[in-house]
PDB file of all heavy atoms in Angstrom:
ATOM      1  N   VAL V  31     139.742 154.688  82.532  1.00 92.00           N
ATOM      2  CA  VAL V  31     138.885 154.931  81.369  1.00 92.00           C
ATOM      3  C   VAL V  31     138.904 153.741  80.417  1.00 92.00           C
ATOM      4  O   VAL V  31     137.897 153.427  79.782  1.00 92.00           O
ATOM      5  CB  VAL V  31     139.344 156.216  80.633  1.00 92.00           C
ATOM      6  CG1 VAL V  31     138.555 156.432  79.361  1.00 92.00           C
ATOM      7  CG2 VAL V  31     139.206 157.419  81.552  1.00 92.00           C
ATOM      8  N   ASP V  32     140.030 153.030  80.331  1.00 93.00           N
ATOM      9  CA  ASP V  32     140.153 151.907  79.399  1.00 93.00           C
ATOM     10  C   ASP V  32     139.707 150.571  80.000  1.00 93.00           C
ATOM     11  O   ASP V  32     139.868 149.527  79.386  1.00 93.00           O
ATOM     12  CB  ASP V  32     141.588 151.798  78.899  1.00 93.00           C
ATOM     13  CG  ASP V  32     142.576 151.452  80.010  1.00 93.00           C
ATOM     14  OD1 ASP V  32     142.262 151.683  81.199  1.00 93.00           O
ATOM     15  OD2 ASP V  32     143.671 150.962  79.688  1.00 93.00           O
ATOM     16  N   PHE V  33     139.123 150.583  81.189  1.00 93.00           N
ATOM     17  CA  PHE V  33     138.712 149.334  81.828  1.00 93.00           C
ATOM     18  C   PHE V  33     137.599 148.664  81.035  1.00 93.00           C
ATOM     19  O   PHE V  33     136.649 149.315  80.603  1.00 93.00           O
ATOM     20  CB  PHE V  33     138.226 149.590  83.262  1.00 93.00           C
ATOM     21  CG  PHE V  33     137.806 148.338  83.969  1.00 93.00           C
ATOM     22  CD1 PHE V  33     138.744 147.502  84.541  1.00 93.00           C
ATOM     23  CD2 PHE V  33     136.465 147.984  84.035  1.00 93.00           C
ATOM     24  CE1 PHE V  33     138.363 146.338  85.184  1.00 93.00           C
ATOM     25  CE2 PHE V  33     136.073 146.821  84.671  1.00 93.00           C
ATOM     26  CZ  PHE V  33     137.025 145.999  85.254  1.00 93.00           C
ATOM     27  N   GLN V  34     137.724 147.354  80.849  1.00 93.00           N
ATOM     28  CA  GLN V  34     136.657 146.569  80.230  1.00 93.00           C
ATOM     29  C   GLN V  34     136.779 145.147  80.748  1.00 93.00           C
ATOM     30  O   GLN V  34     137.838 144.533  80.672  1.00 93.00           O
ATOM     31  CB  GLN V  34     136.753 146.593  78.711  1.00 93.00           C
ATOM     32  CG  GLN V  34     135.557 145.928  78.072  1.00 93.00           C
ATOM     33  CD  GLN V  34     135.436 146.256  76.594  1.00 93.00           C
ATOM     34  OE1 GLN V  34     135.954 147.253  76.113  1.00 93.00           O
ATOM     35  NE2 GLN V  34     134.741 145.413  75.873  1.00 93.00           N
ATOM     36  N   GLU V  35     135.701 144.635  81.294  1.00 92.00           N
ATOM     37  CA  GLU V  35     135.688 143.286  81.858  1.00 92.00           C
ATOM     38  C   GLU V  35     134.291 142.716  81.736  1.00 92.00           C
ATOM     39  O   GLU V  35     133.305 143.443  81.870  1.00 92.00           O
ATOM     40  CB  GLU V  35     136.104 143.325  83.332  1.00 92.00           C
ATOM     41  CG  GLU V  35     136.251 141.974  83.970  1.00 92.00           C
ATOM     42  CD  GLU V  35     137.413 141.168  83.416  1.00 92.00           C
ATOM     43  OE1 GLU V  35     138.567 141.631  83.506  1.00 92.00           O
ATOM     44  OE2 GLU V  35     137.169 140.088  82.878  1.00 92.00           O
ATOM     45  N   THR V  36     134.193 141.415  81.474  1.00 93.00           N
ATOM     46  CA  THR V  36     132.913 140.727  81.438  1.00 93.00           C
ATOM     47  C   THR V  36     132.923 139.666  82.524  1.00 93.00           C
ATOM     48  O   THR V  36     133.876 138.885  82.628  1.00 93.00           O
ATOM     49  CB  THR V  36     132.663 140.087  80.063  1.00 93.00           C
ATOM     50  OG1 THR V  36     132.676 141.122  79.078  1.00 93.00           O
ATOM     51  CG2 THR V  36     131.317 139.377  80.029  1.00 93.00           C
ATOM     52  N   TYR V  37     131.888 139.656  83.341  1.00 89.00           N
ATOM     53  CA  TYR V  37     131.732 138.705  84.434  1.00 89.00           C
ATOM     54  C   TYR V  37     130.541 137.810  84.123  1.00 89.00           C
ATOM     55  O   TYR V  37     129.552 138.263  83.548  1.00 89.00           O
ATOM     56  CB  TYR V  37     131.423 139.417  85.756  1.00 89.00           C
ATOM     57  CG  TYR V  37     132.424 140.461  86.161  1.00 89.00           C
ATOM     58  CD1 TYR V  37     132.256 141.796  85.806  1.00 89.00           C
ATOM     59  CD2 TYR V  37     133.524 140.112  86.929  1.00 89.00           C
ATOM     60  CE1 TYR V  37     133.167 142.758  86.195  1.00 89.00           C
ATOM     61  CE2 TYR V  37     134.443 141.075  87.318  1.00 89.00           C
ATOM     62  CZ  TYR V  37     134.256 142.393  86.949  1.00 89.00           C
ATOM     63  OH  TYR V  37     135.155 143.346  87.329  1.00 89.00           O
ATOM     64  N   THR V  38     130.614 136.572  84.541  1.00 93.00           N
ATOM     65  CA  THR V  38     129.466 135.673  84.459  1.00 93.00           C
ATOM     66  C   THR V  38     129.023 135.374  85.876  1.00 93.00           C
ATOM     67  O   THR V  38     129.855 135.102  86.746  1.00 93.00           O
ATOM     68  CB  THR V  38     129.840 134.360  83.742  1.00 93.00           C
ATOM     69  OG1 THR V  38     130.284 134.682  82.421  1.00 93.00           O
ATOM     70  CG2 THR V  38     128.647 133.429  83.654  1.00 93.00           C
ATOM     71  N   TYR V  39     127.728 135.455  86.119  1.00 87.00           N
ATOM     72  CA  TYR V  39     127.223 135.053  87.430  1.00 87.00           C
ATOM     73  C   TYR V  39     126.148 134.003  87.232  1.00 87.00           C
ATOM     74  O   TYR V  39     125.501 133.927  86.206  1.00 87.00           O
ATOM     75  CB  TYR V  39     126.778 136.234  88.282  1.00 87.00           C
ATOM     76  CG  TYR V  39     125.639 137.081  87.758  1.00 87.00           C
ATOM     77  CD1 TYR V  39     124.379 137.006  88.352  1.00 87.00           C
ATOM     78  CD2 TYR V  39     125.810 137.975  86.716  1.00 87.00           C
ATOM     79  CE1 TYR V  39     123.340 137.797  87.908  1.00 87.00           C
ATOM     80  CE2 TYR V  39     124.775 138.774  86.269  1.00 87.00           C
ATOM     81  CZ  TYR V  39     123.538 138.674  86.874  1.00 87.00           C
ATOM     82  OH  TYR V  39     122.502 139.449  86.424  1.00 87.00           O
ATOM     83  N   TYR V  40     126.017 133.154  88.243  1.00 89.00           N
ATOM     84  CA  TYR V  40     125.253 131.917  88.105  1.00 89.00           C
ATOM     85  C   TYR V  40     124.049 131.896  89.043  1.00 89.00           C
ATOM     86  O   TYR V  40     123.999 132.643  90.022  1.00 89.00           O
ATOM     87  CB  TYR V  40     126.184 130.732  88.393  1.00 89.00           C
ATOM     88  CG  TYR V  40     127.330 130.677  87.411  1.00 89.00           C
ATOM     89  CD1 TYR V  40     128.558 131.278  87.694  1.00 89.00           C
ATOM     90  CD2 TYR V  40     127.163 130.071  86.175  1.00 89.00           C
ATOM     91  CE1 TYR V  40     129.595 131.252  86.774  1.00 89.00           C
ATOM     92  CE2 TYR V  40     128.194 130.041  85.246  1.00 89.00           C
ATOM     93  CZ  TYR V  40     129.406 130.636  85.555  1.00 89.00           C
ATOM     94  OH  TYR V  40     130.429 130.618  84.646  1.00 89.00           O
ATOM     95  N   PRO V  41     123.097 131.003  88.755  1.00 85.00           N
ATOM     96  CA  PRO V  41     121.894 130.917  89.603  1.00 85.00           C
ATOM     97  C   PRO V  41     122.248 130.718  91.075  1.00 85.00           C
ATOM     98  O   PRO V  41     123.192 130.004  91.413  1.00 85.00           O
ATOM     99  CB  PRO V  41     121.171 129.689  89.060  1.00 85.00           C
ATOM    100  CG  PRO V  41     121.613 129.593  87.638  1.00 85.00           C
ATOM    101  CD  PRO V  41     123.048 130.056  87.647  1.00 85.00           C
TER     102      PRO V  41
END
Side-chain angles (χ1 to χ4, degrees):
V31 175
D32 65 339
F33 181 81
Q34 187 165 338
E35 186 68 60
T36 300
Y37 304 92
T38 300
Y39 62 107
Y40 299 93

